[in-house]
Amino acid sequence: MTEQDFYYTIEKEATAEFKDRGSKFIGYAFPVNSVESFKEKLNEVKKLHPKATHHCFAYRLGLDGNTYRVSDDGEPSGSAGRPILGQIDSKELVNVLVVVVRYFGGTLLGVPGLINAYKSAAALALQTTPLVQRQVEQELIVQFDYTQLNEIMRVVKQYNGRVISQEMQLFCSMKLAVPRNRCTEINYILKELRNVEVSLVKAAG
């Protein structure tokens, strides 16, 4: 994947249902930003549906899209997790988890039927929540004299940055997230200010 300035994700949970020959498939879409939050959401769904036959899922995390996992949870290999991931990828989404819960209806659907059902439940869940475009951010640590706070904040607002954390003493330290595509400019402007130190936070991974 090339480095992009924006990515797409969802910000609201959504659910949808698909039925085929008596089997019921309930799709849940969640915004997640870590493996820990994925585990929490999967456990929530399992608690909601303790009697379901299968809890299949797929997620893709991170801007590079390299962190993903699929699970068929006992369904024939490749018939559930992959089709769910396919729906996340067809919309080019990241930081998204889709869990599809199945209640078996007594009639075997066969692998093509299962692929269609899991794909449909995932697609319907993703269709019921708005997709949002987010800017790719770069984190900076800015150290400065307290008297320059207003100037620093003016630059942050001007470039749609946000403050992640701050320590305010006589000499202040602030962790900022700024649009990656404007990072060089912002860095230059901040360094032009007197007694201001700026350092880039290396991205994880």
Side-chain angles (χ1 to χ4, degrees):
M1 270 172 103
T2 53
E3 285 208 342
Q4 75 271 43
D5 298 326
F6 296 94
Y7 64 95
Y8 290 90
T9 187
I10 60 174
E11 37 180 31
K12 293 191 179 75
E13 296 179 8
T15 179
E17 201 173 290
F18 178 80
K19 286 184 176 140
D20 188 4
R21 283 169 278 178
S23 276
K24 190 161 75 166
F25 297 83
I26 308 164
Y28 290 88
F30 299 101
V32 290
N33 53 17
S34 65
V35 174
E36 287 70 35
S37 58
F38 141 68
K39 286 177 181 165
E40 279 169 30
K41 295 299 179 191
L42 182 61
N43 285 334
E44 275 176 35
V45 174
K46 285 183 171 176
K47 277 183 190 151
L48 271 176
H49 298 280
K51 291 189 164 68
T53 331
H54 304 278
H55 303 86
C56 305
F57 67 81
Y59 66 74
R60 194 175 285 284
L61 295 173
L63 300 181
D64 58 9
N66 289 340
T67 306
Y68 69 94
R69 197 173 145 203
V70 296
S71 167
D72 297 316
D73 192 32
E75 292 282 31
S77 178
S79 67
R82 282 279 163 197
I84 296 169
L85 185 66
Q87 290 308 301
I88 295 172
D89 290 349
S90 71
K91 294 181 182 294
E92 298 185 346
L93 300 173
V94 291
N95 296 349
V96 170
L97 160 70
V98 176
V99 183
V100 178
V101 174
R102 180 189 185 187
Y103 286 93
F104 183 55
T107 306
L108 292 171
L109 302 182
V111 170
L114 288 172
I115 289 172
N116 179 59
Y118 281 104
K119 182 175 133 182
S120 300
L124 289 166
L126 289 170
Q127 276 165 24
T128 55
T129 183
L131 307 185
V132 290
Q133 187 186 54
R134 294 265 168 82
Q135 59 189 12
V136 176
E137 294 177 323
Q138 166 67 51
E139 291 182 5
L140 303 174
I141 303 280
V142 184
Q143 292 172 305
F144 55 93
D145 193 279
Y146 190 72
T147 54
Q148 292 161 302
L149 178 62
N150 289 346
E151 287 175 275
I152 302 282
M153 289 312 296
R154 196 175 305 129
V155 176
V156 173
K157 285 197 176 72
Q158 184 186 341
Y159 286 96
N160 292 326
R162 59 192 177 88
V163 177
I164 299 170
S165 60
Q166 55 189 25
E167 283 173 42
M168 292 298 170
Q169 276 120 22
L170 203 57
F171 204 67
C172 307
S173 175
M174 203 179 258
K175 190 178 190 182
L176 304 175
V178 299
R180 189 170 66 190
N181 56 347
R182 309 297 293 277
C183 187
T184 311
E185 259 173 274
I186 295 164
N187 204 357
Y188 179 78
I189 291 167
L190 290 173
K191 282 183 169 168
E192 286 289 283
L193 301 172
R194 268 181 326 113
N195 300 327
V196 173
E197 286 179 36
V198 183
S199 50
L200 296 182
V201 178
K202 284 206 165 35

